[in-house]
Amino acid sequence: MPYLRDRVVILRSVPFREHDRMIVMFGWQHGLMEAVARGSGLARSKQAGHLTPMSEIDVMIAKGAMYDKLAVARITNHHRGIRKRLGALAFVGSFFDLFERMQKPGIVDETLYALLVEVLEAGESIPDEPSRERTGLLYAVAALKLLDRVGLAPALTHCASCREEMRYGEFFLIPHTATLTCADCYRVLRSANPNAEMIDQETLKLIRFLRKEPIRNVFLLTGRADQFVRVSSAILCALKAAPLQKEPHGLYTISALLSQK
Ligand SMILES: [Zn+2]
C-alpha cells in the first residue's frame, strides 16, 4: 500500500461512519487532503486527541482505493492558546473556512502553508480579548494575504483603468473584478458597475500598510473602530471576485460568536 508523509494543519474534522472521523487538512508538500482517522485504533494510542482542528501534525497517510487512511499522526503544535480567546477562535475559524473554500486538491503551495501557520501564531498571541472590529480586521488582513498569494488581490497603487497613480481623492473597488479605479474612470464605469465600494485615501493607505505587515501587527494598530470596519469592508469586497465553492461564513460567524458574550 503506498504511503505519503507530510506536515499538515488540520482544517476540519467531521464524523465519518460510526466510530471514525474524516480529517480535512492542508499539507506542506501535498496541499488539501482528506483522510479517515480510525476512531477505535487511534483511541488506544497516543495519537488520540491530536487530531483537533488548528493543530499542526506530522502524518503518514495510506492511499486507499475508496479513501485515504491516516496511519500515523504525531503532534507538532496544538496551538491551544487560540481556544483561550473567543475572538482568536472566531478569527482562525473563519479564516480556515475561507481558506478551504479557495483550495482544490492537488494545489501545492508552501507559501499558503506558511500563511496558515502565521494565522495560527497570530491567533495564539492575541494579548487580550479583541473587539469585534479588530477581530474582523484580523480576518480581513489574513484574507488579503491569501488573495495576494493566489494572485487575486487588487492593485493598490495605480488605477486599473487609466494606470494613473492613486494619490488623491476617492477610489472605487469593483467587486466582481476586484479592481480599483480612480473617481474619473469610475464615472465611465458606473452604469455597468453600480455596486462598487467607495474607498477613501485614509482607508487605502491603511490597506497598503497592512498588506505588508505581519498579521500580528494588527494588535498594535491604533485607530478608530470605524476605520477598521472600512478597511475590512473594502478587503471583503475584493474577496467577492475570488472563485469560492460558496460564500464563506466570514464575519457572520465572527458577529454571531461575539454577540453571544
Ligand atoms: Zn483612472
Side-chain angles (χ1 to χ4, degrees):
M1 192 184 274
Y3 286 91
L4 69 83
R5 289 170 193 277
D6 205 350
R7 173 161 296 183
V8 305
V9 171
I10 299 186
L11 300 175
R12 210 153 47 87
S13 162
V14 284
F16 182 74
R17 297 186 307 207
E18 200 178 356
H19 301 293
D20 303 337
R21 295 192 77 80
M22 180 65 82
I23 309 292
V24 181
M25 58 204 132
F26 191 83
W28 173 254
Q29 292 171 318
H30 295 87
L32 190 66
M33 295 185 283
E34 280 184 355
V36 175
R38 300 294 298 273
S40 52
L42 286 170
R44 280 198 302 272
S45 74
K46 288 179 189 168
Q47 291 153 5
H50 289 174
L51 302 173
T52 48
M54 304 178 191
S55 298
E56 258 183 290
I57 55 175
D58 288 331
V59 293
M60 195 164 89
I61 293 171
K63 302 294 288 177
M66 296 280 283
Y67 39 78
D68 299 343
K69 287 179 195 159
L70 206 58
V72 179
R74 192 164 291 119
I75 186 75
T76 307
N77 194 334
H78 275 298
H79 297 289
R80 278 206 188 91
I82 294 167
R83 289 176 174 75
K84 289 186 197 146
R85 307 218 189 272
L86 199 54
L89 207 52
F91 156 54
V92 179
S94 310
F95 180 76
F96 274 26
D97 174 63
L98 170 70
F99 185 91
E100 193 190 331
R101 282 162 207 268
M102 285 181 67
Q103 303 306 316
K104 286 184 203 132
I107 298 176
V108 177
D109 186 339
E110 291 176 1
T111 69
L112 289 178
Y113 188 89
L115 179 61
L116 280 178
V117 173
E118 188 186 349
V119 164
L120 288 168
E121 286 173 353
E124 203 158 26
S125 62
I126 290 182
D128 304 299
E129 190 57 67
S131 68
R132 183 190 297 206
E133 292 79 11
R134 199 177 291 268
T135 305
L137 185 62
L138 277 165
Y139 170 71
V141 169
L144 179 63
K145 288 176 183 288
L146 179 57
L147 286 176
D148 251 336
R149 280 168 169 77
V150 297
L152 292 170
L156 297 176
T157 51
H158 293 76
C159 169
S161 197
C162 68
R163 307 280 166 194
E164 285 282 316
E165 197 177 341
M166 294 188 290
R167 279 194 181 154
Y168 311 104
E170 290 156 349
F171 313 100
F172 292 85
L173 186 66
I174 298 172
H176 68 271
T177 54
T179 49
L180 198 59
T181 68
C182 68
D184 287 342
C185 290
Y186 185 61
R187 263 177 225 120
V188 181
L189 299 166
R190 187 191 298 265
S191 57
N193 305 280
N195 54 350
E197 173 123 351
M198 197 258 278
I199 297 173
D200 59 47
Q201 188 64 245
E202 188 187 50
T203 304
L204 186 60
K205 267 190 197 154
L206 202 48
I207 296 173
R208 282 184 193 141
F209 172 76
L210 289 168
R211 183 180 210 169
K212 294 187 199 131
E213 290 293 302
I215 296 170
R216 65 172 65 204
N217 284 3
V218 170
F219 311 135
L220 307 174
L221 199 66
T222 54
R224 302 185 313 271
D226 65 298
Q227 268 182 320
F228 292 177
V229 169
R230 279 206 299 276
V231 168
S232 303
S233 163
I235 294 172
L236 298 188
C237 178
L239 203 56
K240 286 180 186 158
L244 302 176
Q245 293 166 45
K246 51 184 173 171
E247 188 97 352
H249 295 305
L251 292 176
Y252 298 108
T253 314
I254 292 175
S255 299
L257 270 170
L258 297 187
S259 63
Q260 286 166 8
K261 270 202 287 187

